[in-house]
Amino acid sequence: MPLLVLKFGGTSVGNCEKIIKVAKLIKKYHDKKNKVIVVSSAMTGVTNDLDRKSKSISEKFEKSEYDVLVSAGEQIACSLLAGSLIKLGLKSRSWLSWQIPILTDGKYASSRIKKINTKDVLSFLNKGGIPVITGFQGISIEKRVTTLGRGGSDASAIAIAKFFNADSCIIYTDVDGVYTTDPRVNSKAKKIDKISYEEMLEMASLGATIMQPSSIQDAMLNNIKIDIRSTFSKNPGTKITNEISATNKKIITGISYTKNEAKITVVGVRDQPGVASGIFKPLKDINLDMIVQTSSADGGETDITFTIKKEDIKRVINLLKKNKKISYEKIIHDDKVSKISVVGAGMITQPGVAQKFFKALAKEKINIMVISTSEIKISVIIDQKHINRAVKVLHKEFDLE
Ligand code: ASP
Ligand code: MG
């Protein structure tokens, strides 16, 4: 009997009507002779609401209590779901993470799962039961409730699939899969049937918000098959696997973008050992993205450009200005930039992708400010006002429609 982990996101369990629908969906898997472990997120909006409540008590709400508070939404969703399954005549029960237990490294608000005890849940499964497990939460060795970070129920589902040795993990959400680009920006976006972990990772960390990048990485490391599907439609979803997209005849799998980037250039720094380290040392808590250094012709001076999240720009500029260990001519910055990327494992074997990319933007008179590449992606920074047009042009150029 195959063992499946079915994970439901907040919108899938958004109200009682939807929870009843989800229960019927789970029953179908059960009737088809699968063993099913259900993992649920909180009903949509609930975690945000609890987060707001903590802030109305204190902006510095005690971390350990914060985790007890925000993890509460999952308890509600799981009991409603288990209750719905029981009403359908099935054997089911909810499990809070501490009852299993799901052990974490103990960090509040951003824990990682270390171990899951499978014994009780397995014996329930073997008696035909459907366990419904809270996502997002765990318990530390000190027996304190810890959470996995916002959106962390994906991480729970992947870890549960790993420790229970599941055959597959199905992520139910409100979209029917991963698209070649954001359908809100380009109505010609198409659903991708199959994508590799690496490609998905690039797509996810570059702005497609379907799944947490760290969870995709975990799934990749543990070889867990993932299916992303919509709770509300019968369409087949997107499969994430480790098969290289050889079956995928397209060179490019998708185009992703982020809008809220900022770009900083430190102009005229010395081209000598220790300079980059000197610039970035005080920025160790900042989420840096692209870092580009131009090479100096004569070993004299050079420029270092990097991109960050727009909200960090003031902090970063202050840190740079306060840094007495570096000397430079000036700092220039631009917080109205966007990053657009083409992603595809097909690039590894196909030359000329970069040229095609740059030409398409040139034809549209869109200036490229920064370029960075990896084996399976090319990203550029452009003026934010061109982003929607760039998405459309590249989508067409790379034959995605
Ligand atoms: N309920 C949690 C959140 O809203 C976890 C999740 O949805 O994955 O962040
Ligand atoms: Mg969520």
Side-chain angles (χ1 to χ4, degrees), residues 7 10 41-42 47 74 136 149-154:
K7 184 252 163 177
S41 170
T47 317
E74 272 68 14
F136 183 49
R150 295 306 305 271
S153 50
D154 287 339

Side-chain angles (χ1 to χ4, degrees), residues 144-177:
R144 302 298 299 254
V145 172
T146 64
T147 62
L148 310 178
R150 295 306 305 271
S153 50
D154 287 339
S156 306
I158 299 297
I160 288 168
K162 172 179 149 190
F163 282 97
F164 285 87
N165 225 333
D167 294 282
S168 166
C169 178
I170 306 176
I171 306 280
Y172 274 102
T173 176
D174 52 356
V175 293
D176 55 7

